[in-house]
Amino acid sequence: MKRRSRIRETAGVVAASAAALVAVQGSSAGAVGDESRVAERVTVCVGTRPTSSPTDPELSLDRLLRYVEKRGGTRYARVFTGLAGDDDPRTAHVYRIPSKAFDADVCAHAEKGIRVRLHDTDVTARRLEALVERTGDRMDRWDGQFDLREVGPDPRGFVFFGVDDPAKADLVLKKELGPFWAKHIRVEYVGSASLL
């Protein structure tokens, strides 16, 4: 289950959590069904903070996701890419440009029983949104070559393009957007337009 949410900032012991970070090399993204990335660097930590709602521990993941989204959109906007949550097991997938400070902050706020997987990327949410806006403002610019039906950011560090002819669109988009964006787009067939 993919979720995005917000939470208010709370105080935490960042230094203690930094020691609990563990790097896992060669893991596949797999968090939200992405088989296209072969290997990536993932850092894992497990929450140790006392649960705010012992009667409803399921809310722990929601609180962490809201906190990460708020911090990622403000203080850590220069490194934050996106996030997703899995209810079973309770795991927060945080996509970011590697940052010891951000990792420690996130891990310090994870409540007991919450697992945090910090995935390396090389693009921020703001850059992804900028490409979506630039593309979305002129959805008809490729008329005659392919039909662009959907465009939206993905928290794993790419922009999704839903089109009628993926093979043709992939070539055109990668050529026009350039080498940096070529690795940050995913092009797939979409039968008709819908809201992402």
Side-chain angles (χ1 to χ4, degrees):
M1 172 178 162
K2 260 197 247 189
R3 297 188 287 168
R4 292 186 59 164
S5 42
R6 297 192 177 164
I7 196 166
R8 66 182 176 82
E9 182 179 338
T10 58
V13 184
V14 175
S17 292
L21 298 176
V22 178
V24 179
Q25 292 280 14
S27 300
S28 64
V32 283
D34 179 17
E35 294 81 23
S36 61
R37 288 191 174 174
V38 177
E40 66 175 70
R41 183 173 163 81
V42 177
T43 303
V44 178
C45 66
V46 178
T48 58
R49 187 180 169 122
T51 303
S52 299
S53 300
T55 58
D56 195 356
E58 296 302 317
L59 296 177
S60 300
L61 180 58
D62 291 330
R63 280 191 291 276
L64 180 62
L65 293 175
R66 287 193 300 269
Y67 177 81
V68 171
E69 186 166 57
K70 180 176 181 179
R71 297 292 274 181
T74 55
R75 181 171 184 176
Y76 296 104
R78 292 181 304 127
V79 299
F80 181 66
T81 306
L83 73 150
D86 287 337
D87 286 324
D88 187 27
R90 292 182 301 150
T91 304
H93 296 273
V94 180
Y95 299 86
R96 85 292 181 251
I97 295 170
S99 164
K100 288 181 182 179
F102 185 45
D103 293 359
D105 189 357
V106 169
C107 292
H109 286 82
E111 295 177 16
K112 190 172 185 174
I114 300 298
R115 187 173 170 188
V116 180
R117 292 179 61 84
L118 299 145
H119 303 263
D120 289 1
T121 68
D122 64 351
V123 65
T124 65
R126 288 184 177 173
R127 274 191 91 176
L128 295 174
E129 286 289 346
L131 179 60
V132 169
E133 286 179 29
R134 189 176 94 195
T135 305
D137 287 344
R138 295 184 51 215
M139 293 279 286
D140 61 348
R141 72 195 282 178
W142 293 288
D143 282 359
Q145 297 179 71
F146 62 89
D147 183 16
L148 177 59
R149 297 175 174 164
E150 295 177 358
V151 62
D154 187 284
R156 295 168 288 179
F158 61 86
V159 174
F160 169 79
F161 288 86
V163 300
D164 65 332
D165 186 345
K168 188 170 194 178
D170 190 60
L171 291 172
V172 171
L173 288 167
K174 286 179 177 176
K175 182 178 180 183
E176 186 170 324
L177 297 175
F180 176 79
W181 286 113
K183 65 181 179 175
H184 292 290
I185 64 172
R186 300 292 185 273
V187 181
E188 293 180 17
Y189 174 77
V190 171
S192 60
S194 65
L195 292 176
L196 288 179

